[in-house]
Amino acid sequence: QVQLVQSGAEVKKPGASVKVSCKASGYTFTSYGISWVRQAPGQGLEWMGWISAYNGNTNYAQKLQGRVTMTTDTSTSTAYMELRSLRSDDTAVYYCARGVATIDYWGQGTLVTVSS
Amino acid sequence: QSALTQPASVSGSPGQSITISCTGTSSDVGSYNLVSWYQQHPGKAPKLMIYEVSKRPSGVSNRFSGSKSGNTASLTISGLQAEDEADYYCCSYAGSSTYYVFGTGTKVTVL
């Protein structure tokens, strides 16, 4: 069965960076893109961007351009999302998910807390 | 790119039908048949309910249906059940510069 297992919760100080991992199993990793979506506490879903697991091509939300980098390691079927220059409003649950136009499987989410 | 507009809340009694709207613009919902709907229970990851406007993934109840007219997409839940109480989000492709935008979310309450 398809599974996306994310790394554990993180607490970071403003200005720091965080890197969240997402290990995929149960399907051919390079056949699907990986999307990243975040959800601030009590708020809605926000699309962050996606990466092709086939060739590494990326597309990022305009508001995150310059601060976010998405990568994959096809040897371990793992996707990564790094967010730099963290601010308090980056506090959120970060989800990885399979697919781009249609996101059909989601990871369990990783809580990233930014606090001084 | 602004979020797609959804009603904050919709409620209905068991067995009734409800419809959630998702209003965008001619740059997103109105231009592409790439609207999806997600159900999210508290503390859980979202679950895909509808994709490409009206297609239902395997395993999703046929009580859920989707449609689109102009710049507005809709999700209808018929035969409302207690387990349908959750937050629902629409999502649309918005072109090659913005890519994807989610709706503001709708809390469905089963009375």
Side-chain angles (χ1 to χ4, degrees), chain A residues 36-50:
Chain A
W36 289 87
V37 176
R38 69 179 180 178
Q39 186 171 36
Q43 302 301 309
L45 301 173
E46 179 186 10
W47 183 80
M48 298 179 66
W50 66 272

Side-chain angles (χ1 to χ4, degrees), chain A residues 77-115:
Chain A
S77 300
T78 302
Y80 300 90
M81 186 284 300
E82 180 180 35
L83 189 60
R84 300 176 294 278
S85 302
L86 289 168
R87 309 186 290 248
S88 58
D89 61 356
D90 290 319
T91 293
V93 174
Y94 288 75
Y95 292 101
C96 65
R98 187 182 82 162
V100 181
T102 295
I103 297 174
D104 55 2
Y105 288 92
W106 296 67
Q108 83 276 19
T110 296
L111 175 62
V112 175
T113 303
V114 183
S115 174

Side-chain angles (χ1 to χ4, degrees), chain B residues 14-30:
Chain B
Q16 287 187 328
S17 293
I18 61 169
T19 296
I20 303 168
S21 61
C22 169
T23 301
T25 69
S26 58
S27 297
D28 38 63
V29 175

Side-chain angles (χ1 to χ4, degrees), chain B residues 28-108:
Chain B
D28 38 63
V29 175
S31 287
Y32 307 99
N33 289 325
L34 289 174
V35 176
S36 51
W37 289 90
Y38 300 90
Q39 175 193 66
Q40 187 181 34
H41 287 107
K44 300 295 187 182
K47 174 187 176 183
L48 177 67
M49 306 303 285
I50 295 288
Y51 67 101
E52 293 177 10
V53 176
S54 60
K55 297 179 180 178
R56 205 169 38 248
S58 172
V60 171
S61 171
N62 59 9
R63 298 185 298 105
F64 292 85
S65 61
S67 63
K68 189 185 85 166
S69 177
N71 297 336
T72 299
S74 298
L75 174 71
T76 297
I77 309 174
S78 58
L80 200 61
Q81 299 180 0
E83 68 209 49
D84 300 332
E85 189 163 288
D87 293 325
Y88 291 83
Y89 294 91
C90 61
C91 182
S92 176
Y93 180 66
S96 59
S97 59
T98 303
Y99 282 95
Y100 293 94
V101 60
F102 279 96
T104 51
T106 297
K107 181 175 180 59
V108 168

